[in-house]
Amino acid sequence: DTGVSQDPRHKITKRGQNVTFRCDPISEHNRLYWYRQTLGQGPEFLTYFQNEAQLEKSRLLSDRFSAERPKGSFSTLEIQRTEQGDSAMYLCASSLGPQLRNEQFFGPGTRLTVL
Amino acid sequence: AQSVTQPDIHITVSEGASLELRCNYSYGATPYLFWYVQSPGQGLQLLLKYFSGDTLVQGIKGFEAEFKRSQSSFNLRKPSVHWSDAAEYFCAVGLDRRARQLTFGSGTQLTVLP
């Protein structure tokens, strides 16, 4: 257990439905990342926050995706009008600071299946 | 754009045998280099990292990795594999600049035979 928790661990939804995932980082960590991992691939960067500010978004993050970190603590990732291609593991990570020297601690992930 | 290649999708070794997992990166500068391990149902766990200095780095669980600038490689090694090492291993690179996110390889699945 790294101290980063994600909820739910599994989500099955039908195409076209909206889903929301939650990530609770390690409490003193001000940097929070979202990654997506599809079967047989490594995690791919989606977006990151420094406290409550969303500082960068990957091109993978289409308009149907939105992420928030309203009080600089937990974060949510919402996918609207889900598509089968959204099926993946969504990983959250947190770190103490922006430098890569600060280890990113990963949560167990939320596995999304879109039927 | 930066990229990471892990040429071996799946490796099988016997318990007690030595292990080497390959990682090559494509980058204009020397990036920060990482190895992570992912077990089923578990989050990614950092095994070791290289930023600068001694090119042979020691990590947790008896793993080590060697940075070779001339070969753009950062291979992971372990002298004697244990059954509990069976997992998926990811190499990752990052630049400690603007974005500071990690770029991961596609992973190597390790199977350990008794």
Side-chain angles (χ1 to χ4, degrees), chain B residues 17-60:
Chain B
S18 63
L19 172 70
E20 183 169 24
L21 303 182
R22 296 184 289 165
C23 173
N24 293 94
Y25 65 90
S26 173
Y27 230 129
T30 299
Y32 290 2
L33 297 160
F34 306 81
W35 274 99
Y36 282 83
V37 61
Q38 186 177 38
S39 299
Q42 305 294 316
L44 288 155
Q45 181 182 22
L46 181 66
L47 287 175
L48 46 77
K49 57 190 176 185
Y50 173 78
F51 296 147
S52 64
D54 192 348
T55 56
L56 185 63
V57 294
Q58 302 297 320
I60 62 171

Side-chain angles (χ1 to χ4, degrees), chain B residues 32-105:
Chain B
Y32 290 2
L33 297 160
F34 306 81
W35 274 99
Y36 282 83
V37 61
Q38 186 177 38
S39 299
Q42 305 294 316
L44 288 155
Q45 181 182 22
L46 181 66
L47 287 175
L48 46 77
K49 57 190 176 185
Y50 173 78
F51 296 147
S52 64
D54 192 348
T55 56
L56 185 63
V57 294
Q58 302 297 320
I60 62 171
K61 304 184 178 186
F63 285 93
E64 66 178 25
E66 186 172 13
F67 169 60
K68 293 186 177 179
R69 184 190 305 273
S70 61
Q71 298 176 19
S72 297
S73 69
F74 188 57
N75 294 348
L76 182 72
R77 301 194 295 247
K78 187 170 185 178
S80 178
V81 170
H82 187 263
W83 64 267
S84 61
D85 294 324
E88 189 150 24
Y89 292 80
F90 292 95
C91 180
V93 303
L95 267 185
D96 201 21
R97 294 179 189 170
R98 183 178 59 88
R100 297 173 182 162
Q101 75 270 21
L102 298 175
T103 299
F104 285 84

Side-chain angles (χ1 to χ4, degrees), chain A residues 9 37 48 56 98-100, chain B residues 38 41 49 90 96 99-100 105:
Chain A
R9 296 289 303 274
Q37 184 177 17
Y48 77 88
E56 181 157 343
Q99 305 298 324
L100 281 178
Chain B
Q38 186 177 38
K49 57 190 176 185
F90 292 95
D96 201 21
R100 297 173 182 162

Side-chain angles (χ1 to χ4, degrees), chain A residues 10-50:
Chain A
H10 302 273
K11 178 69 177 180
I12 300 174
T13 191
K14 293 182 179 179
R15 188 162 50 105
Q17 298 295 304
N18 299 344
V19 295
T20 300
F21 311 140
R22 178 181 171 121
C23 170
D24 286 273
I26 296 171
S27 60
E28 64 267 27
H29 285 187
N30 50 36
R31 180 61 71 99
L32 186 147
Y33 303 81
W34 284 99
Y35 292 84
R36 182 176 72 181
Q37 184 177 17
T38 54
L39 207 58
Q41 299 297 318
E44 298 172 288
F45 168 75
L46 292 179
T47 187
Y48 77 88
F49 292 84
Q50 178 71 27

Side-chain angles (χ1 to χ4, degrees), chain A residues 44-106:
Chain A
E44 298 172 288
F45 168 75
L46 292 179
T47 187
Y48 77 88
F49 292 84
Q50 178 71 27
N51 298 313
E52 66 276 7
Q54 188 174 16
L55 297 185
E56 181 157 343
K57 295 190 287 187
S58 159
R59 285 174 292 179
L60 292 175
L61 214 64
S62 75
D63 292 344
R64 297 184 297 105
F65 288 70
S66 63
E68 295 182 341
R69 195 183 182 196
K71 296 183 180 179
S73 57
F74 73 92
S75 176
T76 58
L77 178 68
E78 181 184 15
I79 309 175
Q80 296 182 326
R81 304 180 304 280
T82 52
E83 302 173 355
Q84 288 185 325
D86 298 331
S87 295
M89 177 78 84
Y90 290 85
L91 298 170
C92 173
S94 70
S95 65
L96 190 55
Q99 305 298 324
L100 281 178
R101 293 175 181 272
N102 299 114
E103 179 180 345
Q104 292 186 28
F105 292 84
F106 283 81

